[in-house]
Amino acid sequence: MTHGIPSKTLNDGLEVPAIGFGTANIKGSAGVSIISSAIDTGYRLIDSAFNYENEGAVGAAIRRSSIPREQLRITSKLPGRHHSYKKAVTTIQESLLRAGLDYYDLYLIHWPNPKQEMYVEAWQALIDAKKWGLIRSIGVSNFLPEHLEKIIHETGVTPSMNQVELHPYFSQETQRSYHQEHGITTESWSPLGRASHVLENKDIQSIAQTHDKTIPQIILRWHIQLGALPLPKASSAGRQRENLAVFDFSLSDQEMHTINKLTKPDGRIHDQDPAIYEEF
Ligand SMILES: NC(=O)C1=CN([C@@H]2O[C@H](COP(=O)(O)OP(=O)(O)OC[C@H]3O[C@@H](n4cnc5c(N)ncnc54)[C@H](OP(=O)(O)O)[C@@H]3O)[C@@H](O)[C@H]2O)C=CC1
Ligand SMILES: O=C(O)C(=O)[C@@H](O)[C@H](O)C(=O)CO
């Protein structure tokens, strides 16, 4: 799509770049500068959320940039406290107002909150908002296969993507296979493990030395070769550039296998199993 970044086509035909920019905790005027820098650096897919309280900062960065709106892919997410149909519709409208946008390219249900049992209603609101032209592509986040089954069965509409926790210590093989079988694109949240111990892993460091790349670059390349779409967050232009420079080399099958083996059953950063964990 741009700067040598390949694109992916979602199951509803929307074209998106193979890597995006994460914005959790990036807000206010400092946040506008960070997001503007990301756009200048070449990111065209920007991930935000109603709960990040930064849809306004994303909108301001878009207006500051010289990139035509239609070349950008902007995502936001519906919070758990607004899953009822009526609240979901007004929240989508509010998200648009906050960003000063006419439409979102992607809008996701942030967490399924299964105990609340309202995510099917929320999904119906996203389906309708897409029909009304407020959203181009609709998806979910943190949905387990059982939650995906339910919305697909009850509405007949398959999400275009599912944004899930995914990094070398939590590689989500079963979840990814389910997505692949159903034509759902996997987006990786906290793709760098939120700068945890994984950035000091000796096996990844050794692969990085072989390719003359950094550990974050090896990890992001691993996501790309898994077929997942990573959303690294980085505050400086230097790191933003570093994280985009992952399309000029490939990992061998053996290197992919070495990283795949690092996954652990309890590898989540926090104890956020979507079967139990709820977020409002
Ligand atoms: N749907 C969901 O439930 C969730 C979605 N997300 C989304 O995923 C995005 C990414 O996840 P996030 O949790 O932010 O974590 P990431 O895995 O993207 O890691 C971000 C951390 O890594 C550091 N970092 C980035 N690049 C480098 C580099 N090249 N070298 C060294 N350190 C680096 C950043 O530091 P610094 O900023 O100082 O540069 C920051 O501390 C979020 O911003 C959000 O958009 C995240 C969590 C949950
Ligand atoms: O950042 C997000 O999108 C979240 O859903 C957060 O809850 C995230 O999982 C977190 O910060 C947990 O500590």
Side-chain angles (χ1 to χ4, degrees), residues 24 47 141-142 163 189-190 192 194 231 233 235 239 243:
D47 183 66
S141 175
N142 299 304
Q163 186 183 118
W189 65 253
S190 295
L192 301 174
R194 207 170 286 167
L231 299 168
K233 172 240 172 192
S235 305
R239 282 183 175 176
N243 295 346

Side-chain angles (χ1 to χ4, degrees), residues 4-274:
I5 302 172
S7 55
K8 293 172 94 74
T9 305
L10 306 183
N11 62 15
D12 53 14
L14 185 73
E15 210 186 322
V16 295
I19 188 167
F21 186 69
T23 67
N25 301 314
I26 296 180
K27 51 182 154 179
S29 47
V32 177
S33 300
I34 293 171
I35 299 163
S36 296
S37 156
I39 296 174
D40 289 346
T41 305
Y43 292 87
R44 294 292 177 265
L45 169 62
I46 310 289
D47 183 66
S48 69
F50 191 89
N51 272 354
Y52 298 168
E53 298 177 330
N54 66 1
E55 291 162 314
V58 169
I62 295 170
R63 285 186 292 283
R64 193 186 279 186
S65 108
S66 55
I67 304 300
R69 169 71 184 89
E70 63 275 13
Q71 289 181 23
L72 296 168
R73 300 288 181 267
I74 310 299
T75 305
S76 193
K77 311 189 196 85
L78 180 75
R81 65 187 179 286
H82 295 325
H83 276 192
S84 78
Y85 181 87
K86 253 178 119 170
K87 283 191 183 168
V89 170
T90 32
T91 303
I92 293 163
Q93 290 166 337
E94 177 63 23
S95 284
L96 287 165
L97 275 174
R98 289 180 183 192
L101 295 176
D102 300 325
Y103 64 89
Y104 274 97
D105 300 278
L106 283 141
Y107 207 87
L108 318 179
I109 301 177
H110 204 147
W111 287 89
N113 286 10
K115 279 179 267 167
Q116 219 182 212
E117 274 198 278
M118 289 173 89
Y119 60 84
V120 177
E121 227 179 283
W123 184 237
Q124 190 58 56
L126 265 63
I127 293 170
D128 289 344
K130 183 179 176 193
K131 285 188 194 139
W132 301 329
L134 305 181
I135 306 168
R136 292 176 77 194
S137 183
I138 53 175
V140 294
S141 175
N142 299 304
F143 272 46
L144 296 174
E146 68 217 53
H147 310 131
L148 290 165
E149 285 291 325
K150 191 160 173 170
I151 57 170
I152 296 169
H153 176 73
E154 295 202 17
T155 67
V157 181
T158 302
S160 62
M161 60 165 56
N162 189 11
Q163 186 183 118
V164 295
E165 177 169 359
L166 176 48
H167 42 77
Y169 289 164
F170 198 65
S171 71
Q172 296 263 36
E173 196 178 344
T174 311
Q175 181 84 40
R176 284 188 288 106
S177 301
Y178 181 93
H179 292 169
Q180 202 170 7
E181 275 164 34
H182 292 80
I184 300 169
T185 295
T186 304
E187 258 193 341
S188 315
W189 65 253
S190 295
L192 301 174
R194 207 170 286 167
S196 57
H197 303 307
V198 73
L199 295 189
E200 286 142 33
N201 182 277
K202 295 283 172 245
D203 291 329
I204 306 179
Q205 187 177 40
S206 150
I207 298 172
Q209 276 162 356
T210 308
H211 290 276
D212 198 17
K213 289 281 179 182
T214 64
I215 291 178
Q217 287 172 327
I218 297 299
I219 295 176
L220 293 169
R221 182 69 208 178
W222 170 80
H223 285 271
I224 304 285
Q225 289 186 217
L226 283 184
L229 193 166
L231 299 168
K233 172 240 172 192
S235 305
S236 67
R239 282 183 175 176
Q240 291 168 359
R241 254 194 309 278
E242 176 184 336
N243 295 346
L244 275 190
V246 295
F247 297 102
D248 56 354
F249 74 106
S250 307
L251 299 173
S252 66
D253 290 347
Q254 182 56 49
E255 289 166 336
M256 287 295 290
H257 183 63
T258 299
I259 304 176
N260 288 340
K261 275 195 319 194
L262 300 174
T263 195
K264 312 169 199 179
D266 60 350
R268 292 185 192 278
I269 300 168
H270 294 296
D271 199 10
Q272 290 181 295
D273 176 355

